[in-house]
Amino acid sequence: QTMDNSRPDGLCPASGFLQFGLKPQLMQAISKLGYTTPTPVQERAIPLLLSGSDVIAQAQTGTGKTAAFMLPVLQTLKQGQSGIQVLVLTPTRELALQVAQAALEYGSHLNTEVLAVYGGQPYGPQIKRLRQGVDIVVGTPGRLLDLIKKKELDLSRLSSIILDEADEMLSMGFVDDIEEILSTSPSERQTALFSATLSPKIISMAKKYMHAPQSV
Ligand code: AMP
């Protein structure tokens, strides 16, 4: 026997997500995307992140890891506050664009301003957008650090940092850039680290820069 979750307006009720107590605007976005049930990484990471814990999650691409960190971040985003609240570090331009797109989709009813930044692109347009005001910045570590050094990326209002595909970033040689970004950002921030593999290098970085991280 199958349950018919369809509604005349074509939206799925996303009933499996009710447990998290997400804002109606997020539930609406999830329904529109057709998600009905959280994936295992979402099931475990979303409540931890909503409770304010740091999280270290072992998750491959395709497991729904993006929503696992983006939904809690959007839930706790302060409306109408100026300054960047969330920074997501990704190993590649492609992933930066993909994560930024997901943030726009999940945040479509919250008027969230999202910007992707990466190397190989002129600084001008990225700086212009940053000056206009952005809530969430997604980017590759090198370009993010360049913008921080140019004083165009101000992390003083930051409340969360996400390291996405941390193992990839380390194998691409971004370790110094990542550590510099982490040590520049406010220490009371929340930090989440997602990685397909958890090498000793990643564990030691987590120990150094995260507060009592919960494992998923
Ligand atoms: P990710 O692992 O974040 O790259 O997500 C992989 C794909 O799964 C993306 O196309 C998402 O839109 C989709 N997705 C994420 N969470 C869910 C869910 N709970 N139900 C159905 N699809 C999902």
Side-chain angles (χ1 to χ4, degrees):
Q1 194 188 340
T2 55
M3 206 156 63
D4 183 8
N5 278 340
S6 63
R7 298 195 328 201
D9 57 6
L11 295 177
C12 289
S15 55
F17 285 85
L18 287 171
Q19 57 177 312
F20 304 127
L22 296 170
K23 293 178 178 182
Q25 294 96 322
L26 291 174
M27 291 301 287
Q28 219 178 326
I30 297 166
S31 296
K32 211 194 290 175
L33 288 164
Y35 302 179
T36 56
T37 317
T39 66
V41 66
Q42 291 165 4
E43 189 89 45
R44 297 187 54 203
I46 291 174
L48 287 171
L49 288 170
L50 286 176
S51 76
S53 290
D54 280 4
V55 167
I56 170 161
Q58 186 164 11
Q60 317 277 340
T61 307
T63 54
K65 66 183 168 68
T66 315
F69 60 76
M70 204 49 88
L71 292 172
V73 148
L74 289 165
Q75 174 79 6
T76 48
L77 206 69
K78 295 185 198 84
Q79 302 287 306
Q81 179 180 300
S82 64
I84 296 154
Q85 298 183 54
V86 180
L87 196 61
V88 185
L89 277 60
T90 66
T92 61
R93 159 206 159 107
E94 288 71 27
L95 188 61
L97 286 167
Q98 203 179 305
V99 170
Q101 182 57 36
L104 280 178
E105 284 173 7
Y106 301 138
S108 59
H109 300 285
L110 290 169
N111 299 321
T112 310
E113 292 290 336
V114 182
L115 176 66
V117 300
Y118 36 80
Q121 292 284 110
Y123 283 95
Q126 297 179 356
I127 289 174
K128 190 169 167 217
R129 274 294 309 282
L130 287 168
R131 290 182 182 172
Q132 285 166 348
V134 178
D135 304 301
I136 300 178
V137 175
V138 187
T140 47
R143 177 57 60 109
L144 288 171
L145 194 57
D146 286 347
L147 289 164
I148 291 168
K149 288 183 170 158
K150 286 178 186 291
K151 305 233 182 293
E152 295 292 350
L153 189 62
D154 175 13
L155 303 184
S156 62
R157 315 292 290 274
L158 202 71
S159 52
S160 318
I161 291 196
I162 318 290
L163 307 178
D164 194 10
E165 300 195 355
D167 51 351
E168 288 293 319
M169 289 198 283
L170 293 194
S171 68
M172 289 169 74
F174 282 131
V175 64
D176 292 341
D177 291 354
I178 296 171
E179 296 208 1
E180 198 167 340
I181 293 169
L182 288 170
S183 49
T184 311
S185 69
S187 57
E188 66 277 19
R189 63 160 199 273
Q190 183 178 39
T191 310
L193 184 156
F194 285 71
S195 191
T197 56
L198 297 180
S199 64
K201 218 169 168 183
I202 288 182
I203 302 291
S204 82
M205 195 159 80
K207 280 200 180 127
K208 200 162 156 195
Y209 295 100
M210 296 173 81
H211 303 297
Q214 305 290 303
S215 296
V216 167

